[in-house]
């Protein structure tokens, strides 16, 4: 860097209007919030699908454990009930995996790709800020030479400073205009980008729960032959529990 024989401060000339700077900050703030929201949504969607898979895997594990219960070897009716339950849990798990796969492709992956755009945007803003600082530094340099006595050497340095300033000013103005033009376009494009993903999410959920209704309706038909209500089953369970409590081996001392 060439030596500057005086301290460079802020230029006296306002090189960016307050309105332009305010517009820039407003648009960039909207994009920063959009970036944070995109990251959060991506994280929450991943957690949701992981929880879904864990739920169906746990259900399959429970039905398999019940099916291996020694009681199944002794009671044919219980064996048939547990077999029906195990089959239904495996069907649920299969449909759940298909749903999660669809959500991964249509929602989570697009969210990740969208989030990957922001580093480039932030870098463009940093380059604009660096160009602004260079612009201010050289504008201040020009103003200092303009204030000096109009001697031959001073006029030469003033001319050189103005020549140095020109491409820097043009570079900043180009970067500033591009960001002011494109940041609002990028922000408004989010709707067109995400709408297909959210529609696909809804469709995946509708298909899954429609299939779950069929699975559990069939399971109910298989195991609910007695046609008892929940209240009747609860009373039946309480009666059985009372019989167990009446046994001497579980009686209180």
């Amino acid at each position: 860097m060439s030596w500057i024989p005086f301290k460079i401060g802020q230029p006296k000339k306002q090189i960016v209007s307050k309105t332009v700077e305010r517009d820039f900050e407003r648009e960039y703030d909207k994009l920063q919030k959009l970036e944070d929201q995109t990251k959060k949504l991506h994280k929450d969607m991943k957690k949701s699908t992981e929880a879904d898979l864990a739920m169906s895997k746990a259900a399959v594990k429970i039905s398999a454990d019940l099916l291996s219960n020694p009681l199944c070897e002794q009671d044919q009716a219980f064996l048939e009930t547990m077999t029906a339950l195990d089959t239904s849990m495996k069907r649920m798990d299969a449909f759940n995996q298909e749903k999660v796969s669809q959500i991964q492709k249509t929602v989570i992956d697009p969210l990740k790709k969208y989030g990957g755009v922001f580093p480039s945007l932030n870098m463009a803003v940093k380059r604009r800020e660096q160009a602004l600082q260079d612009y201010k530094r050289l504008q201040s340099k020009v103003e200092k030479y303009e204030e000096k006595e109009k001697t031959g050497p001073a006029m030469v340095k003033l001319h050189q400073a103005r020549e140095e300033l020109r491409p820097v000013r043009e570079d900043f103005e180009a970067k500033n205009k591009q960001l002011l033009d494109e940041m609002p376009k990028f922000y408004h494009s989010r709707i067109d980008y995400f709408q297909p993903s959210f529609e696909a999410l809804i469709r995946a959920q509708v298909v899954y729960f429609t299939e779950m209704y069929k699975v559990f309706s069939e399971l109910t038909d298989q195991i609910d032959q007695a046609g008892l209500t929940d209240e009747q089953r609860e009373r039946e369970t309480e009666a059985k529990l009372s019989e167990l409590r009446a046994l001497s081996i579980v009686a209180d001392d």
Side-chain angles (χ1 to χ4, degrees):
M1 180 181 294
S2 59
W3 172 254
I4 301 175
F6 45 79
K7 184 178 180 181
I8 297 296
Q10 290 295 315
K12 296 177 181 178
K13 177 184 177 182
Q14 184 176 6
I15 59 179
V16 181
S17 71
K18 291 181 179 180
T19 299
V20 169
E21 198 62 29
R22 185 167 56 248
D23 290 345
F24 182 88
E25 290 175 359
R26 182 188 66 248
E27 294 301 327
Y28 186 48
D29 182 63
K30 285 160 62 176
L31 291 180
Q32 287 179 303
K33 290 178 180 177
L34 178 60
E35 180 181 14
D36 291 341
Q37 292 164 351
T38 301
K39 288 180 179 178
K40 184 177 185 303
L41 183 57
H42 178 258
K43 181 179 179 181
D44 289 345
M45 286 301 305
K46 286 189 66 177
K47 288 172 63 176
S48 174
T49 53
E50 289 167 0
D52 275 354
L53 288 175
M55 178 275 297
S56 62
K57 292 297 182 187
V60 170
K61 178 66 166 57
I62 291 171
S63 66
D65 289 345
L66 289 170
L67 192 59
S68 64
N69 190 300
L71 182 60
C72 286
E73 300 176 4
Q74 305 166 12
D75 190 313
Q76 183 63 31
F78 186 71
L79 173 61
E80 291 174 358
T81 297
M82 291 304 100
T83 300
L85 175 64
D86 186 59
T87 300
S88 296
M89 294 304 98
K90 288 176 179 176
R91 289 177 64 193
M92 178 184 72
D93 185 45
F95 282 122
N96 195 37
Q97 289 186 50
E98 184 177 341
K99 178 194 71 175
V100 168
S101 177
Q102 283 295 109
I103 292 174
Q104 179 71 41
K105 290 185 292 185
T106 59
V107 182
I108 297 176
D109 288 348
L111 277 170
K112 184 178 180 180
K113 292 176 182 177
Y114 192 79
V117 174
F118 287 98
S120 298
L121 169 65
N122 293 330
M123 185 57 65
V125 172
K126 287 182 179 179
R127 287 195 292 266
R128 182 256 190 196
E129 178 60 26
Q130 183 59 55
L132 176 59
Q133 295 307 315
D134 291 342
Y135 184 6
K136 288 180 178 180
R137 176 177 59 82
L138 292 173
Q139 177 62 36
S140 180
K141 181 178 179 180
V142 167
E143 290 174 0
K144 291 290 183 180
Y145 281 125
E146 287 175 340
E147 293 172 358
K148 286 183 172 294
E149 185 179 351
K150 300 299 187 289
T151 62
M155 294 302 293
V156 170
K157 289 181 178 179
L158 174 59
H159 176 73
Q160 291 173 341
R162 286 173 174 168
E163 289 299 307
E164 188 179 1
L165 171 64
R166 186 180 299 109
V168 172
R169 180 180 63 243
E170 292 173 353
D171 180 55
F172 166 75
E173 289 174 348
K175 286 180 168 63
N176 188 59
K177 183 179 185 302
Q178 182 182 36
L179 283 166
L180 284 173
D181 287 345
E182 295 185 358
M183 285 194 297
K185 294 178 182 178
F186 181 85
Y187 183 77
H188 291 300
S189 71
R190 74 197 188 284
I191 298 174
D192 291 336
Y193 183 86
F194 284 122
Q195 186 170 348
S197 291
F198 295 146
E199 289 176 351
L201 172 62
I202 293 170
R203 285 195 297 271
Q205 296 285 10
V206 168
V207 169
Y208 172 74
F209 286 108
T210 299
E211 294 299 332
M212 287 306 94
Y213 176 79
K214 295 177 184 178
V215 167
F216 286 101
S217 293
E218 293 172 8
L219 177 61
T220 300
D221 291 340
Q222 288 178 279
I223 68 174
D224 195 23
Q225 295 178 355
L228 299 177
T229 65
D230 290 342
E231 291 76 10
Q232 289 172 325
R233 291 186 183 282
E234 186 176 350
R235 287 197 296 270
E236 188 178 87
T237 301
E238 285 296 328
K240 296 292 185 182
L241 186 59
S242 296
E243 292 177 9
L244 292 174
R245 287 171 177 165
L247 296 174
S248 59
I249 58 173
V250 295
D252 292 335
D253 295 335

